[in-house]
C-alpha cells in the first residue's frame, strides 16, 4: 500500500480514508478499545488466509468500511468478504458511504450495542445462565 494515501492523525495510526479516521475518532471518544487492521486468520475457499479488518474491537466485533460505490468487482469482493466472515463466525458490522451521512455516530454505536446484545443473548440461551452479575454471581474458583 502506498503510505502517501493514508491520512495521518495526531495521536495514532494512519488511516486509508477520512471515514475510517472518523470511525476511529468515534470509538476513541466513547472509550471503545480497538486495533486498526489487526491481522486475523480466516478459512477462505479451503485455504488459511490472513486478513486485516479495519477495526477489531476488544469485544470480538469487527467493523469494516467498504468505501467504493459503483464498482461491480469491489461489490463482489465485499459480498465474498462478508460471506467468509460469517463462515468463520466473526461478528462484522459493515459500514458503507451512505452510513456515514447525517447522525451516523449514534447509529453505529447502536449497531455495536445490538451486536453485543445478540452475543450475550446467544451465550445465555446456550448456557441457561441469565442472572445479572452482582453479589449473587458465583465467584471464580481458585485452582
Amino acid at each position: 500500500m502506498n503510505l502517501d494515501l493514508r491520512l495521518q492523525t495526531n495521536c495514532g495510526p494512519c488511516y486509508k480514508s477520512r471515514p475510517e479516521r472518523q470511525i476511529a475518532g468515534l470509538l476513541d471518544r466513547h472509550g471503545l478499545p480497538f486495533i486498526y487492521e489487526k491481522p486475523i486468520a480466516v478459512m477462505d475457499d479451503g485455504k488459511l488466509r490472513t486478513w486485516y479488518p479495519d477495526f477489531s474491537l476488544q469485544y470480538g466485533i469487527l467493523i469494516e468500511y467498504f468505501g467504493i460505490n459503483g464498482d461491480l468487482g469491489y461489490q463482489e469482493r465485499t459480498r465474498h468478504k462478508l460471506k467468509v466472515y460469517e463462515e468463520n463466525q466473526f461478528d462484522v458490522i459493515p459500514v458503507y458511504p451512505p452510513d456515514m451521512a447525517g447522525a451516523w455516530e449514534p447509529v453505529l454505536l447502536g449497531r455495536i450495542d445490538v451486536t453485543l446484545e445478540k452475543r450475550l443473548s446467544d451465550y445465555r440461551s446456550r448456557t441457561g445462565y441469565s442472572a445479572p452479575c452482582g453479589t449473587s454471581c458465583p465467584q471464580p474458583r481458585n485452582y
Side-chain angles (χ1 to χ4, degrees):
M1 151 142 301
N2 181 349
L3 293 179
D4 295 334
L5 296 177
R6 294 179 173 222
L7 299 172
Q8 183 71 41
T9 63
N10 292 334
C11 58
C14 297
Y15 297 96
K16 294 179 188 169
S17 67
R18 179 172 294 153
E20 285 185 0
R21 187 175 62 210
Q22 291 172 302
I23 293 167
L26 172 71
L27 297 173
D28 278 338
R29 283 191 305 281
H30 288 275
L32 299 174
F34 70 91
I35 297 173
Y36 183 67
E37 294 190 337
K38 176 184 175 183
I40 63 167
V42 297
M43 287 300 294
D44 179 14
D45 293 327
K47 295 179 183 168
L48 185 62
R49 301 186 192 279
T50 302
W51 285 5
Y52 301 85
D54 296 326
F55 300 94
S56 298
L57 277 61
Q58 178 182 20
Y59 313 107
I61 296 172
L62 306 177
I63 298 175
E64 282 277 18
Y65 178 69
F66 297 106
I68 299 177
N69 283 327
D71 180 327
L72 295 178
Y74 185 81
Q75 290 173 358
E76 181 55 39
R77 289 187 302 277
T78 297
R79 280 191 290 277
H80 175 77
K81 196 171 197 179
L82 292 173
K83 178 178 170 265
V84 171
Y85 278 138
E86 183 178 352
E87 290 170 351
N88 284 265
Q89 301 180 355
F90 284 102
D91 288 323
V92 164
I93 298 172
V95 179
Y96 303 92
D99 297 330
M100 300 297 293
W104 66 272
E105 292 183 349
V107 173
L108 182 54
L109 291 172
R111 291 173 71 190
I112 294 168
D113 186 71
V114 165
T115 303
L116 288 169
E117 286 291 339
K118 180 184 178 305
R119 292 178 93 192
L120 183 58
S121 176
D122 289 347
Y123 165 78
R124 287 178 173 162
S125 70
R126 291 173 196 270
T127 64
Y129 186 78
S130 62
C133 281
T135 58
S136 63
C137 285
Q139 297 299 311
R141 293 182 185 168
N142 293 325
Y143 291 100

